[in-house]
Amino acid sequence: MTMASARGKVALVEDDDDLRLATAQLLSLADFDVVAFERADAALGVVDAGWEGVVVTDIRMPGMSGIELFRTLQQRDPELPVILVTGHGDIAMAVETLKSGAWDFLTKPFSPDELLAAVERALRARTLALENRRLKAEAVTEYSSLLVGSSPAITRLRSMIPALADSDLDILIEGETGTGKELYARLLHRAGKRSRHRLLTLNCASLPADLEDELFAPVGASSLASANRGTVVLDNLDLASSSLQARLVQLAEERVLRARGSRDPIPLDIRIVATAGTTADRAEERIAPALFYRVAAVRLQMPPLRDRRDDVRTLFAHHVAQVSARLRKQIPDLTPVVSEFLSVHPWPGNVRELAHYAERFVLGLLDQRAEQSSISNGKSLPERVDAFERDAIIKAVRDANGEIGQAISMLGVPRKTFYYRIKKLGVDLAQLKREK
């Protein structure tokens, strides 16, 4: 029999020479690849967490027992199937071991069919577990690669994906617009155990009040119930209405749906990932404390692009390559003006703004004369940032028809910060209101 024809590997641990030989022959004739051991400690030198098969072991052996072998292997890999072979006097012990995670047990004397059926079932489970493990490892590598950059903050966030992806802890991701908060939420879902189920993203800033009941309904494509066993992303949670936040408090605490008019709660298995911006204290200011401390079991901060300027060119190259492949267009040559603009522009729109810039670059739509003017105007970086903020505030107030509360929500800044910047930048609010 060759490895290519084998149905799977079996590590057989049995101290009785005759029984070990007979069992090994039975498994080999059934086309299993058998590795036999006389002692448990010898098996430990071969069977590791990557063992692509199962273990069949006697319980009573000199030195390390089969129970001790199982417990040691379970520490190495809890998903490794171990089948215990026991005499009548050890049945109670074997049953207790099953409760601890052993795959199955056989009582001597067992029939050949019993053994082969148990091994076959265990191997199917092992093959599936290893395949899921491989796919998950590939997913972590693939998805975390979307978080481009080598700055310390991004490197740390990328390294946290494997641990956070399989955790059930709720997470709050904070950061300015365009920094990749929702992307990170998607990466956590797709790289974790919940990836086979739905990722439901809810924009809390734009949810009409009359749609809240649909969200908390027991059925429906817009219902939280549709994400059962999956992930719910509460995007812009800091902009959610007080009524929505109140209902989310109950959801986060009890993990049940309570539809209006119904007395029976519906259990819900979801992982909550919330996003908020733009400053570090915004979430605490705008999210009700009862909700904030439930969704912020883990709190992450996405860094603005201005704090990771060494990543700008790497990100630009990444997005240019993506756009070029998607549009099937040749990548243009990088001009000195574009190169310098990448270095000096403050990127207030963060990665999203840079991605749009990369697309215009590939399409040949950049106004390089305007960029040259921006580079050559002699203003320092703080001066250019102030000018951008002033223009953004004026535009927001005008778009909001002079309604300051609405303008503040559009800008995504705390009220105190808004008025501080108004004073510092010399914006005439009274004049803007008169324009209304």
Side-chain angles (χ1 to χ4, degrees), residues 279-352:
T279 60
D281 58 350
R282 177 180 175 86
E284 292 183 67
E285 292 178 351
R286 301 294 297 272
I287 301 174
L291 180 57
F292 175 83
Y293 290 109
R294 284 175 171 83
V295 301
V298 178
R299 196 173 176 184
L300 303 175
Q301 186 76 34
M302 300 299 293
L305 197 51
R306 63 179 175 274
D307 289 347
R308 43 183 293 225
R309 296 201 65 86
D310 289 346
D311 288 340
V312 169
R313 292 182 180 274
T314 304
L315 280 162
F316 178 72
H318 170 78
H319 287 293
V320 164
Q322 283 193 323
V323 174
S324 175
R326 174 165 52 87
L327 300 180
R328 298 181 180 179
K329 292 183 69 69
Q330 187 174 356
I331 298 176
D333 292 332
L334 189 68
T335 66
V337 172
V338 172
S339 178
E340 190 173 357
F341 187 81
L342 290 171
S343 299
V344 303
H345 186 64
W347 302 109
N350 294 296
V351 179
R352 184 180 297 127

Side-chain angles (χ1 to χ4, degrees), residues 224-247:
L224 290 164
S226 67
N228 192 41
R229 302 178 68 188
T231 304
V232 174
V233 178
L234 301 177
D235 201 22
N236 298 313
L237 182 58
D238 50 321
L239 299 179
S241 66
S242 57
S243 64
L244 177 58
Q245 290 196 30
R247 299 185 75 172

Side-chain angles (χ1 to χ4, degrees), residues 24 41 50 76 99 130 141 162 168 271 284 320 376:
D41 53 0
R76 291 182 180 180
K99 295 178 181 177
L130 291 176
T141 301
D168 285 326
R271 200 256 186 100
E284 292 183 67
V320 164
S376 305

Side-chain angles (χ1 to χ4, degrees), residues 128-352:
L128 181 60
L130 291 176
E131 178 67 8
N132 285 334
R133 190 178 299 175
R134 181 185 65 79
L135 291 174
K136 187 177 296 182
E138 290 178 358
V140 169
T141 301
E142 175 188 353
Y143 301 145
S144 64
S145 68
L146 297 176
L147 206 63
V148 177
S150 58
S151 60
I154 287 298
T155 300
R156 180 174 177 273
L157 286 167
R158 192 164 49 234
S159 70
M160 294 170 69
I161 289 178
L164 291 176
D166 273 339
S167 169
D168 285 326
L169 289 172
D170 293 337
I171 295 178
L172 176 63
I173 307 173
E174 300 169 84
E176 297 177 6
T177 182
T179 51
K181 300 186 293 294
E182 190 180 349
L183 167 65
Y184 198 82
R186 292 200 308 271
L187 298 183
L188 291 176
H189 173 78
R190 293 164 65 186
K193 60 188 178 184
R194 295 179 180 272
S195 60
R196 287 174 290 178
H197 304 282
R198 188 180 182 189
L199 172 70
L200 176 64
T201 300
L202 169 67
N203 188 348
C204 297
S206 60
L207 183 72
D210 58 350
L211 292 183
E212 284 187 20
D213 284 348
E214 290 187 25
L215 181 66
F216 291 90
V219 294
S222 301
S223 168
L224 290 164
S226 67
N228 192 41
R229 302 178 68 188
T231 304
V232 174
V233 178
L234 301 177
D235 201 22
N236 298 313
L237 182 58
D238 50 321
L239 299 179
S241 66
S242 57
S243 64
L244 177 58
Q245 290 196 30
R247 299 185 75 172
L248 289 172
V249 168
Q250 192 173 59
L251 172 72
E253 180 179 10
E254 301 179 7
R255 289 304 199 268
V256 297
L257 284 179
R258 296 184 181 275
R260 294 192 193 276
S262 173
R263 294 183 178 180
D264 299 325
I266 302 171
L268 200 59
D269 175 14
I270 57 170
R271 200 256 186 100
I272 295 175
V273 180
T275 73
T278 56
T279 60
D281 58 350
R282 177 180 175 86
E284 292 183 67
E285 292 178 351
R286 301 294 297 272
I287 301 174
L291 180 57
F292 175 83
Y293 290 109
R294 284 175 171 83
V295 301
V298 178
R299 196 173 176 184
L300 303 175
Q301 186 76 34
M302 300 299 293
L305 197 51
R306 63 179 175 274
D307 289 347
R308 43 183 293 225
R309 296 201 65 86
D310 289 346
D311 288 340
V312 169
R313 292 182 180 274
T314 304
L315 280 162
F316 178 72
H318 170 78
H319 287 293
V320 164
Q322 283 193 323
V323 174
S324 175
R326 174 165 52 87
L327 300 180
R328 298 181 180 179
K329 292 183 69 69
Q330 187 174 356
I331 298 176
D333 292 332
L334 189 68
T335 66
V337 172
V338 172
S339 178
E340 190 173 357
F341 187 81
L342 290 171
S343 299
V344 303
H345 186 64
W347 302 109
N350 294 296
V351 179
R352 184 180 297 127

Side-chain angles (χ1 to χ4, degrees), residues 38-89:
E38 182 181 355
R39 298 174 61 89
D41 53 0
L44 284 177
V46 176
V47 180
D48 56 16
W51 176 253
E52 296 180 354
V54 302
V55 176
V56 178
T57 179
D58 192 12
I59 285 184
R60 292 192 177 274
M61 295 181 292
M64 178 181 284
S65 70
I67 300 294
E68 292 173 308
L69 173 62
F70 157 70
R71 289 173 178 162
T72 303
L73 292 175
Q74 188 183 45
Q75 291 177 350
R76 291 182 180 180
D77 185 350
E79 294 181 308
L80 177 62
V82 177
I83 300 171
L84 301 169
V85 178
T86 177
H88 286 286

